[in-house]
Amino acid sequence: MTKDFLCLSDWSLDDLEAIFDLTRELKLKQKEGTPHQLLAGQTLGMLFEKSSTRTRVSFEVGMFQLGGHALFLHSGNTQMGRGEPIKDTARVMARYCDGIMIRTYSQDAIEEFAENCYVPVINGLTDLYHPCQLMADLFTVSEHKEDYKNLKYCWVGDGNNMANSWINAAAIFGFELRVATPKGYEPDAGVIARAKEAGAKLLLSNDPKVAAAGADVLNTDVWASMGQEEEQAEREKAFKGFQINAGLVKLANPDCVVMHCLPAHRDEEITDEVIEGPHSIIFDEAENRLHVQKAIMATLMAR
Ligand code: CP
Ligand code: NVA
């Protein structure tokens, strides 16, 4: 087990399933009102270079419920935003905090931070991956479906940080994953190659119908991620048809569930009707960010 949570592929199936077991236990305790202060007296430093609602709130609330404290920093208000090197920021923050969560652009930057930081570092999203979201997503499926590792998963939309993380998950958990993106918006080539090498059951397509046919889990995300705002108009053209709507849901398994990490652009990548419809487990998915991340923090940080 590594000291950090930067990429799902750094972790074994057994370790990730142990996090799910702890998630179930902590979720039950939180619902019952049973104290579970596994990180009493500890501080999580949270460093954001991009916006957030769910990640910031779920980590901060999660630390409080675990008996600790979370410290919110936006890079624009830190010396890092004025050019202090990552390695210096990492070395200093490690001296004050017991763990660090970072949301930033490049995966290399978070890796450099972790190399220079002797306390655990958690990836709260980079351009390449969003591993905490993936853990929340799979945990949510496991609550709604038996045998979540033997289902057919489908991704429709951009080959972005979420798609890359789903591909990593397919390689580790062994489920079938069909990914449909427009041409030119495929997931990261290195991520695909490593997953294939690891034996992932992965089908890449440019047709959402091919990906959705018979799927048990339908998944999508925004067409333009944070940092790509200026590409919005161009992407709206390229992604036409890459939408989860009632027609696409009809092609999937009649018991399928629909997911979205949020925030959603309603009636772009997913219709309002599907978000609010009977297949949607989107708000359970959002809630489980809290429970899964508590388990991740406890796994990495409990003494
Ligand atoms: N899904 C997710 O990470 O949401 P935020 O951007 O609101 O943190
Ligand atoms: N792909 C999106 C996910 C947001 C949680 C982004 O990076 O903006």
Side-chain angles (χ1 to χ4, degrees), residues 164-184:
N164 292 332
S165 301
W166 272 105
I167 292 171
N168 284 342
I172 300 165
F173 290 88
F175 53 77
E176 183 183 333
L177 176 65
R178 295 194 219 138
V179 175
T181 63
K183 282 201 173 73

Side-chain angles (χ1 to χ4, degrees), residues 248-294:
L248 204 72
V249 172
K250 274 213 180 84
L251 300 176
N253 182 328
D255 293 334
C256 72
V257 291
V258 175
M259 310 189 81
H260 190 307
C261 63
L262 299 176
H265 287 188
R266 286 171 188 246
D267 296 326
E268 275 185 29
E269 75 276 3
I270 186 166
T271 58
D272 180 73
E273 183 190 7
V274 171
I275 293 181
E276 301 298 344
H279 296 279
S280 168
I281 56 168
I282 290 171
F283 293 94
D284 290 345
E285 179 186 0
E287 177 185 337
N288 281 330
R289 292 292 301 282
L290 170 68
H291 305 297
V292 162
Q293 288 160 193
K294 284 167 68 182

Side-chain angles (χ1 to χ4, degrees), residues 15 54 76 98 101 110 136 144 146 159 164 182 214 249 297 301-302:
D15 287 340
R54 279 144 289 270
D98 303 285
M101 189 281 294
I110 204 169
H144 285 267
E146 280 180 22
N164 292 332
V249 172
M297 290 190 287
M301 293 162 65

Side-chain angles (χ1 to χ4, degrees), residues 163-217:
N164 292 332
S165 301
W166 272 105
I167 292 171
N168 284 342
I172 300 165
F173 290 88
F175 53 77
E176 183 183 333
L177 176 65
R178 295 194 219 138
V179 175
T181 63
K183 282 201 173 73
Y185 294 93
E186 286 83 5
D188 182 84
V191 170
I192 294 171
R194 287 189 292 278
K196 285 190 170 164
E197 211 169 292
K201 291 181 225 149
L202 183 62
L203 177 96
L204 298 168
S205 154
N206 301 119
D207 184 350
K209 292 188 179 121
V210 168
D216 301 298
V217 181

Side-chain angles (χ1 to χ4, degrees), residues 208-228:
K209 292 188 179 121
V210 168
D216 301 298
V217 181
L218 297 169
N219 226 306
T220 190
D221 187 13
V222 288
W223 292 341
S225 285
M226 289 181 276
Q228 298 171 332

Side-chain angles (χ1 to χ4, degrees), residues 50-55 103-104 124-130 133 155 158 160-163 220-229 260-263 289:
K50 293 176 174 173
S51 304
S52 170
T53 298
R54 279 144 289 270
T55 304
R103 167 168 286 195
T104 188
L125 180 147
T126 61
D127 291 344
L128 193 63
Y129 297 128
H130 197 0
Q133 181 72 55
W155 177 267
D158 191 19
N160 61 12
N161 41 15
M162 285 300 303
T220 190
D221 187 13
V222 288
W223 292 341
S225 285
M226 289 181 276
Q228 298 171 332
E229 289 79 4
H260 190 307
C261 63
L262 299 176
R289 292 292 301 282

